[in-house]
Amino acid sequence: MLKPSCLYRAPTTWSSTLKLPRSKFPPRPIPTERPTHLHQCTDDFYAGQSERRSKHKLFVLHDGPPYANGSLHIGHALNKILKDLICRFEVSQGKRVCFVPGWDCHGLPIEIKALQLQKRLDSGKKHAPAGDAGTSNAVAIRGAARQLATRTIKEQKASFREWAVMGDWDHAYRTMDKDFELRQLRIFKEMVEKGFIYRQNKPVYWSPSSHTALAEAELEYDENHTSTAAFIKFPLVELPRKLWHLKAKISRFYAVIWTTTPWTLPANKAIAVHQDLEYTVIAMADEKEPTKSTMLLVGKDRLDTILSHMPETATPSIVVDSILGSELIGETKYINVLQGSQSEPQPFLHAPFVASSSGSGLVHMAPGHGLEDYDICVQNDIETFAPVDDKGCFTRNAMPDLPNYLDGKSVLGEGGTAVLSYLERFSKVLGESRGLVLASHQLQHKYPTDWRTKQPVIIRATEQWFANVENIKSDAIHALDGVEFVPESGKNRMLSFVKGRSQWCVSRQRAWGVPIPALFRQTSTGMKAIMTGETIDHILKVIEERGIDAWWTDKEDDSAWVPPGFDGEFVRGKDTMDVWFDSGTTWTTLSSNGDEGCPADVYIEGTDQHRGWFQSSLLTFVAHQSSQTSHTSTPRAPFKKLITHGFTLDQHGRKMSKSIGNVISPQQIMDGSLLPPLRQKNNKGNKKSEQVASLTYDAMGPDALRLWVAGSDYTKDVIVGQAGLLAVHQSLHKYRTTFKWLLGVLYDYEQREHPPTFCLMDRIALYQLSLTCHEVHASYSAYAFFKVVSAINRFINHDLSAFYFETLKDRLYTGHASDRYAAQGVLLQILDSLVSMLGPVTPLLIQETWAYTPPALKGILEHPWHKNWTSPEHQQDRELEQTIAHLTAAHTAVKSACEAARSAKQIGSNLESQVTLVIPESVETPLKQISSEDLASVFVTSGASVTVGLSDGPIPDDAQTKAWQYEESIELDGRALGSAIVSPAKGCKCPRCWRYVAPEPEKLCQRCGDVVKDLGVDVP
């Protein structure tokens, strides 16, 4: 039961003698104040550091440009805020940060939206332009695309700035700006002059849905794509010598290939085998010629698989167990029946990629539809043939004898089915169940898709411009040796993409982009491409005069674009550059940074950019270096450090998708609408609809979004869910209450000439602060922001709120002036350090804290955006660390014993109790040396003492006579140090400090009496 004899109401006169906190710092951000704070901690901050900091301490983070084609999503927030965290930390390290945001303005995503907009506009016109290939329509598309990009950039920029992302927003680069396009074309010119750019008819990834070539970086992969796979029989017309003995027994002889793309069969030009693999000949009875057999040539190791797909009635026998691939090459020929009367004998070739692990062991080669096929066939002077148009449909050339049969049919749809149907028609002629189709089946496999339209792509040979990566690959690989990768696994990923790339298709068949600066001369045999350093120089001059849109608006044969001295009739090319070349040359917006000559200190983007922006930037920068006449140094990358982050997923680990309905916007995190609404006061008479309409949420603003980013391990995929966001809000509220209390208790702080004397708890707090600052600074330096947040939260929640702050309140509010001054000295250091540690993560909170900082403190502290934050050298103190560990163990035991007493309703407050620590004499612990006053302060009790030498039996002295007591064991690392006994406090409640140390009811305790006298107040 509570002790009624000591429950007295303190006289109101004593309240005026207390030093209670005073601060107007609000519990939540005030919406009307946010614009001011936002401007001060972003625009003013960035401009100020640019003016004050030395250009010799420059730090450049180069912004990978987002597409200017739509609203920002949570992935944008993760990316941009990570960049801002890095920049803000580097400013705090005394560097002058250069962060110029940018936008990728060209390319298909924007053009598609512009086309849709143009169609909507044209639908209301009587005479709308037809098609999308004409010059007039290209000009209209470019105009619409430019407007769309301009409008989107404005909207995205506003959102980025709302997230408190600082930067040189007024000078952001845009890849559609004239100056940028000219720089890009000059880099392209350098590569042309070095012979890195060439034009060739060769297979590339082609998107029928977008009508353009694609680079590998523009592909995604559908893991569950379904194709019709088929075993096809090609009739042999010439046999190798080793099989001549079979001639008398053969009615028909076929080579069996397996393909997942039957639509490519009309373009077949060869069959590939591996020279070291074994092949087998099997025979099946021929019903029309009983004395002869139909024979099939298959891979020996693939025989069982092939037989499993054949009808059960088929009973083939092996007539030749083994023949090497090398014995087939050069001696075996076949025909492609789809070419009809134009078919000629075609060869067997060796290809190193042929394996015995899949298919039939023989590979159908269509150099117009396969990258590896092309390489092998070119080496053997075999022509490239691709009878497919821009829309992914067959042309009349696919089947010369039946030009209408496949013409206009989609190769990914009815066209592929029609090819198999035609081959099956041979069943009547041959007397075989499915003609030249041995078997077919459905196959689920990984297949490339257009990353924009999400539709399947094909491989198709067309005339394209290519960059020869092979010539700069070695330098690019060496350039990565000097790059720091975060995480380290990024290096191997990047290297694998660079090593695996030999060419880069840099041309696109679109209107919205930077033109490939090529001229085409009309000759008797067709159009001949002309592109040299001289022609590009001339074209650049015309662009400077007329603007880049003149490439499309001028007459096709306008001679102004042709350099003097070039005879003949010329037209301008219609291809545009791959947007990866656009973004890959954004490093031209930067100047060389320091002696190392790397334009940027840091590039940071998603993991998909190893094969995208990171790679295109590396390749163009290395190519640029090789073009310099004075280039003799080691190849360099355009970045010193390369950081990659994961993707954002919902709380179930799923990719966000509108179709699933799990998309989360950054605004929802800022306005708190993803969390339950705040509790409203019960207003009687309100209708339910009115209550719903009046729901308000815990809107913590940009800092909530930033803290979510900082607290996530970005090296992995990042989860966004209610549980994590709730923790973010709890942390933000904890930060606010911490700053409010610190400002409140420091309202009257004044520096004195003599330094204060710190007690044990002060020394512990300063030690823990030093340790935390050191850990946080190291984590910031490694850009491990989630470790920063974890360390700060641990320090605030455990070391401060649950420990040090609780011990301080009595000293601060009711203690001697000297004790208060000492505690304030520690709190001032804590405040200053927290401002530094949280500055990069929650800049609005820090700006707001500074705004509410008392003027006297502003005269002592340095402005948070002006100071350099250096972590003090942390000196380990093992003796103090041992004291902290033992004191924490005792505190845990005392807390548990007090809770037991509180549950039994023996006490309401810890101050109603006293503590006795019983430590056996044999136990060595610093608890024995801690003063009773310090112990009582730690435990927040009215008294504390240590009894040494008792291990068992009753407690001596007056502890035995107490009405109740609760005992808990003190344990540390599984070892018992002693026990903590909580019992009733001895004295009466002091009406001023509420400790139970007064000599009698309604009387002040000795300390309060002295403090009040010092304040000039009479004590009754």
Side-chain angles (χ1 to χ4, degrees), residues 128-239:
D132 62 351
T135 300
S136 61
N137 206 39
V139 173
I141 290 171
R142 288 180 61 82
R146 185 177 294 278
Q147 290 179 5
L148 173 65
T150 301
R151 183 172 63 254
T152 303
I153 289 172
K154 183 179 180 180
E155 294 169 355
Q156 290 188 357
K157 183 187 292 188
S159 294
F160 284 139
R161 299 179 85 161
E162 277 293 315
W163 303 343
V165 175
M166 67 174 191
D168 193 355
W169 294 104
D170 293 336
H171 298 94
Y173 72 85
R174 307 185 308 174
T175 60
M176 66 181 180
D177 288 340
K178 182 179 178 180
D179 289 345
F180 185 93
E181 292 171 328
L182 288 172
R183 285 194 300 269
Q184 177 180 331
L185 285 166
R186 291 187 184 107
I187 297 299
F188 188 77
K189 173 201 161 192
E190 292 176 354
M191 295 177 69
V192 169
E193 291 176 327
K194 287 293 292 185
F196 295 156
I197 305 296
Y198 63 95
R199 185 172 175 83
Q200 195 166 348
N201 180 35
K202 62 191 302 184
V204 295
Y205 290 106
W206 185 271
S207 173
S209 56
S210 299
H211 302 178
T212 186
L214 299 177
E216 290 181 20
E218 296 171 297
L219 301 178
E220 291 181 345
Y221 287 88
D222 180 358
E223 300 286 346
N224 300 308
H225 182 81
T226 300
S227 297
T228 297
F231 290 94
I232 304 297
K233 299 182 293 185
F234 279 110
L236 298 183
V237 294
E238 293 184 22
L239 298 181

Side-chain angles (χ1 to χ4, degrees), residues 329-482:
I329 297 167
E331 298 186 12
T332 313
K333 291 190 176 181
Y334 71 101
I335 61 170
N336 181 359
V337 299
L338 294 170
Q339 290 304 301
S341 60
Q342 295 187 18
S343 62
E344 296 180 353
Q346 298 180 169
F348 275 53
L349 306 173
H350 165 69
F353 55 79
V354 177
S356 61
S357 57
S358 63
S360 66
L362 297 92
V363 175
H364 134 67
M365 303 282 280
H369 297 299
L371 305 178
E372 294 176 316
D373 300 14
Y374 173 84
D375 291 336
I376 296 296
C377 288
V378 165
Q379 294 170 16
N380 290 274
D381 297 322
I382 296 174
E383 69 170 335
T384 300
F385 178 53
V388 178
D389 65 17
D390 291 356
K391 296 179 181 180
C393 297
F394 282 117
T395 66
R396 294 173 62 83
N397 296 328
M399 291 182 64
D401 289 0
L402 297 171
N404 294 327
Y405 181 70
L406 293 177
D407 184 36
K409 291 183 172 64
S410 169
V411 298
L412 293 174
E414 58 179 338
T417 304
V419 169
L420 291 179
S421 297
Y422 180 80
L423 293 175
E424 289 177 341
R425 291 181 185 180
F426 282 82
S427 60
K428 296 180 180 179
V429 178
L430 302 174
E432 299 170 11
S433 61
R434 294 193 61 184
L436 295 178
V437 180
L438 181 65
S440 63
H441 59 99
Q442 295 299 299
L443 177 70
Q444 192 175 76
H445 62 126
K446 183 178 178 180
Y447 193 86
T449 61
D450 183 331
W451 71 335
R452 300 174 182 103
T453 65
K454 311 302 179 184
Q455 297 301 308
V457 303
I458 61 175
I459 295 177
R460 172 188 177 227
T462 60
E463 288 277 350
Q464 299 288 342
W465 293 100
F466 296 89
N468 189 342
V469 177
E470 202 66 49
N471 288 350
I472 56 176
K473 183 186 296 186
S474 178
D475 281 353
I477 292 171
H478 288 143
L480 294 177
D481 290 340

Side-chain angles (χ1 to χ4, degrees), residues 520-541:
F520 288 82
R521 176 188 282 132
Q522 297 180 7
T523 68
S524 58
T525 57
M527 305 299 290
K528 181 181 179 181
I530 306 293
M531 189 165 63
T532 66
E534 182 182 358
T535 62
I536 296 176
D537 265 337
H538 180 78
I539 290 170
L540 287 172
K541 292 177 183 177

Side-chain angles (χ1 to χ4, degrees), residues 775-797:
E775 181 183 353
V776 168
H777 195 279
S779 297
Y780 265 126
S781 299
Y783 300 154
F785 305 117
F786 74 100
K787 293 182 179 180
V788 168
V789 174
S790 177
I792 293 174
N793 286 346
R794 184 175 63 249
F795 177 64
I796 291 177
N797 292 325

